[in-house]
Amino acid sequence: MKLFLRNLIYIFLGKLSVVFHLKKPKIIIFAYHSLGDDDWLYEISYRNFCTQINEVKKTRKYIKLEEIYKYLIGETELDGDYFCVCFDDGYKNIFDFADKIKNELKITPAVFLISNKSKINRFELENNKELLDEDEIKYLINLGWEIGNHTSTHPNLKNLNFFDKEIEIINSKQLLEEKLGIKIKYIAYPKGCYDKDVIGISRKTGYLLGLTMDDGIIDKSCDLLKIPRIGVDKSHGINIFKYIFLPLNIYFRALVKHIS
C-alpha cells in the first residue's frame, strides 16, 4: 500500500510538473548500484536499465562528472538538458554489461569503489555480492568510465569519530590512486550519509565533487561537496521512472526526507 501511494504521488506530481511547464533541472545525476536479476531492491535488470536510459535520452544528452564540475565552477557553459549515471559500490555484475553500455547506450558512467574489500562493512552494504577486481576496473577506465571513491569499508560516516572519518575518506583515495594509477577526483558518501566533518575532510583532501543522495537541483549555487543525486531501484518501473526526475517530485522527496 505504501509503495502504491508513493507511485500515485509520483505520477500526480510528475504530470503537474508537465502541465504547468515547470522549469526542468539542467543536470540530473542518477545513482544506480547493481545490474542483474536477483530480488535485492537495488539490483535492476539490464533490460530495465536500458529502458530507463533510453527514456532519459529522449530529452537529455549524456554528460560526465568532469564536465559537470567545469560547468559548476564557471569554466564552461551548457546548452540544453543533461544527465549523468553513477554506480555505487562497484559490483562485479556491472562489468558483464560494460561493453553493451558503451556500444548500445553510448554512455560511460562513473563507478564509486570501496578500496578495502577485505574489511567491507557488509552490514551497511546489506549484501554479499562480489565486487570488481583490479583488472576489471582498469578495463572500465579504458572504456572511458570515471572512477570515484566510496570510502575504505562503506560505513555510515556520520557514526564514526573524526579520526576514523579521515581514514575512510583520505586513505581510501590514496590507495585507489596507487592501485589504479589515476587521480581520484570524486567521492560518493555511502548511503548519502555525511555531516559537516565529512564535508570538511573531503574538501581538505582535494575532492572536486562530493555526491550525496539528497534531493535537490544541481546549479552553480550548489556546494561542490554536496551534489544531489536521484537514486534508482527495482521499484522504479518505467511508468514511475519517467516522473521521478521532474521538479515537483524532487521537491517532494526532499520534503519527505526533511520531515523524517
Side-chain angles (χ1 to χ4, degrees), residues 7 10-11 236-244:
N7 289 347
Y10 279 169
I11 292 171
H236 299 125
I238 189 60
N239 291 328
I240 301 302
F241 174 82
K242 65 184 181 181
Y243 293 121
I244 65 173

Side-chain angles (χ1 to χ4, degrees), residues 2-217:
K2 184 178 179 181
L3 182 61
F4 176 74
L5 290 175
R6 184 209 69 176
N7 289 347
L8 282 181
I9 292 171
Y10 279 169
I11 292 171
F12 175 70
L13 294 179
K15 289 185 175 180
L16 278 183
S17 296
V18 173
V19 168
F20 289 102
H21 303 287
L22 298 183
K23 185 179 179 180
K24 297 180 293 184
K26 179 176 284 292
I27 300 170
I28 294 290
I29 303 178
F30 295 105
Y32 289 86
H33 287 78
S34 181
L35 294 178
D37 296 306
D38 78 9
D39 58 0
W40 187 40
L41 177 63
Y42 298 102
E43 180 162 306
I44 70 170
S45 70
Y46 178 68
R47 179 179 179 180
N48 287 343
F49 176 71
C50 288
T51 301
Q52 291 171 350
I53 298 305
N54 285 325
E55 174 68 24
V56 182
K57 288 175 70 176
K58 291 177 182 178
T59 57
R60 294 177 177 270
K61 295 177 283 188
Y62 191 74
I63 191 172
K64 302 183 77 166
L65 292 175
E66 181 178 7
E67 297 168 281
I68 293 175
Y69 171 74
K70 290 179 179 179
Y71 167 74
L72 293 178
I73 64 172
E75 189 172 312
T76 61
E77 291 299 323
L78 296 175
D79 179 23
D81 297 326
Y82 294 82
F83 77 103
C84 181
V85 172
C86 300
F87 284 93
D88 284 3
D89 305 339
Y91 296 107
K92 184 177 285 286
N93 55 32
I94 66 174
F95 178 79
D96 299 334
F97 302 100
D99 288 315
K100 287 185 176 182
I101 289 172
K102 180 173 183 178
N103 297 327
E104 296 176 1
L105 297 176
K106 310 298 184 184
I107 66 173
T108 50
V111 57
F112 288 86
L113 304 173
I114 302 167
S115 65
N116 193 342
K117 294 195 292 184
S118 65
K119 294 185 178 180
I120 289 175
N121 187 330
R122 290 286 179 178
F123 175 79
E124 288 291 340
L125 200 62
E126 299 181 6
N127 67 76
N128 290 303
K129 292 182 176 296
E130 192 174 1
L131 301 180
L132 294 162
D133 63 33
E134 190 172 322
D135 288 339
E136 290 165 339
I137 296 167
K138 289 180 177 178
Y139 185 84
L140 295 181
I141 293 171
N142 288 334
L143 285 182
W145 286 50
E146 293 177 292
I147 306 298
N149 182 26
H150 205 40
T151 72
S152 292
T153 65
H154 197 280
N156 182 333
L157 289 170
K158 292 171 67 175
N159 293 338
L160 302 183
N161 61 45
F162 189 85
F163 176 74
D164 287 336
K165 287 173 184 174
E166 287 190 315
I167 291 175
E168 289 286 342
I169 295 169
I170 300 173
N171 292 11
S172 53
K173 181 179 188 293
Q174 294 172 344
L175 181 59
L176 287 175
E177 289 178 340
E178 290 171 4
K179 282 185 176 181
L180 302 175
I182 61 172
K183 191 73 173 176
I184 300 297
K185 304 174 183 178
Y186 318 112
I187 183 169
Y189 314 116
K191 293 187 176 179
C193 296
Y194 65 90
D195 57 21
K196 62 181 181 62
D197 289 334
V198 169
I199 299 302
I201 295 167
S202 299
R203 201 181 309 278
K204 178 184 69 175
T205 306
Y207 291 103
L208 301 184
L209 296 176
L211 280 70
T212 72
M213 293 306 299
D214 295 344
D215 292 285
I217 303 298

